[in-house]
Amino acid sequence: MRAMTIAEPGGPDVLAAADVPTPVRVGSEVLVRVVAAGVNPVDAKTRAGRGVSRAATAPVVPGFDFSGVVAESPYDAFPLKPGDEVFGMTAFPRGTGSYAEYVSVPALNLTRKPSVLSHAEAAAVPLAALTAWGAVVELTKAHEGQRVLVHAGAGGVGHFAVQFAAYFGAEVATTASARNAAWLASLGATTVIDYRNERFDEALDSLDVVIDAIGGDTGRRSLDVLRPGGSIVTLPSGSWASWREDAKTAGVRATDFWVVPDGGTLSVIARLITSGDVKVTADAVFPLERAADAHRLLEEGHVRGKVVLQVSDY
């Protein structure tokens, strides 16, 4: 099958098209023909030798999320049958990633694609939305009266985190560039702070929750805007070395979070998308062979929502 591979760590140009063996479906796995694949920051970090590169064996086929069509099911009466449209997450880095024509994934990793989304839009959902759901709903239990700050609200995880927090009744502030202010307000943010011209730690205080995908100085300053006993969720790309100790000193709770592929939760998110309560934004769609260009755009840091690869026609 056709795929994008990484033979050795490096810049975007190490992504190269290649013919690789089609994965063999075993046990309870589902073989899916990939129509579109999401591009995530962890993909770029893995390509560069960070991220989850320690668990990947070269040549690496990267990519965690996808949307596509069932090619083989585990057994005849399985609910998802050949021809059904699905979306979900791969078992990468232990297996083949989604920058490929086929993936074989555990049945619990996927669910039916919302009919209101194209495959390109659906591929923008799984990893980012499940990360946001885990941080906002499962860990910090967004609810009415809660005050939440989402850093990088215009990003893949951020634009879902803003919407989930607002859906469950929280008052949501977010940091973003001025060009994204109106869009984020339409997604439910009540306060949008232009990080280029305003310091969030001077504009906000006594918050209940911070969702931090940036880390570094931004993460440290985030501790100052939390009320005593408030919570900060630091995502894998956003942690800094002493974040646990710094949070304890500041009198706030801190936790990290790593996304867990979960078709059941993804089904709940799919219903919110179908009802119109959650919007999906795919900022740019590249053909599979231009994965390097997709990584360059992602690493420029000004993507609204997600970048997607079109792997095949539907």
Side-chain angles (χ1 to χ4, degrees), residues 92-153:
F92 179 78
R94 300 293 186 185
T96 301
S98 57
Y99 291 17
E101 290 183 294
Y102 288 89
V103 291
S104 192
V105 303
L108 296 177
N109 285 27
L110 79 170
T111 191
R112 295 184 186 277
K113 179 184 78 68
S115 60
V116 297
L117 298 183
S118 67
H119 281 287
E121 292 169 327
V125 175
L127 186 147
L130 286 171
T131 300
W133 185 275
V136 171
V137 182
E138 295 175 1
L139 290 182
T140 60
K141 313 223 180 316
H143 57 269
E144 188 173 355
Q146 190 182 60
R147 300 178 67 221
V148 178
L149 169 61
V150 176
H151 282 304

Side-chain angles (χ1 to χ4, degrees), residues 139-140 143 146-147 206-210 222-233 246-255:
L139 290 182
T140 60
H143 57 269
Q146 190 182 60
R147 300 178 67 221
S206 301
L207 300 181
D208 299 294
V209 172
V210 173
S222 295
L223 302 178
D224 297 332
V225 304
L226 286 164
R227 63 168 175 79
S231 298
I232 181 169
V233 179
D246 293 348
K248 184 176 181 179
T249 299
V252 302
R253 293 171 292 175
T255 184

Side-chain angles (χ1 to χ4, degrees), residues 160-223:
F160 285 117
V162 167
Q163 293 180 84
F164 293 153
Y167 177 81
F168 285 101
E171 178 185 332
V172 185
T174 187
T175 56
S177 63
R179 76 179 184 91
N180 288 315
W183 173 62
L184 285 165
S186 75
L187 298 183
T190 54
T191 303
V192 181
I193 297 171
D194 178 2
Y195 67 89
R196 293 173 175 168
N197 297 304
E198 186 177 9
R199 289 177 63 94
F200 70 88
D201 49 331
E202 295 177 353
L204 302 169
D205 61 21
S206 301
L207 300 181
D208 299 294
V209 172
V210 173
I211 308 298
D212 176 31
I214 300 176
D217 181 61
T218 296
R220 292 186 187 91
R221 289 192 287 125
S222 295
L223 302 178

Side-chain angles (χ1 to χ4, degrees), residues 2-5 15 34-40 43 61-67 97-100 119-124 282 284-296 306-313:
R2 186 169 50 100
M4 297 303 294
T5 62
L15 286 159
V34 178
V35 177
V39 179
N40 296 284
D43 301 349
V61 177
F64 280 98
D65 41 13
F66 63 87
S67 182
S98 57
Y99 291 17
H119 281 287
E121 292 169 327
V285 180
F286 292 85
L288 179 63
E289 289 76 7
R290 291 183 59 197
D293 290 332
H295 276 223
R296 290 188 189 95
K306 288 285 294 289
V307 176
V308 175
L309 298 176
Q310 188 75 35
V311 178
S312 63
D313 296 328

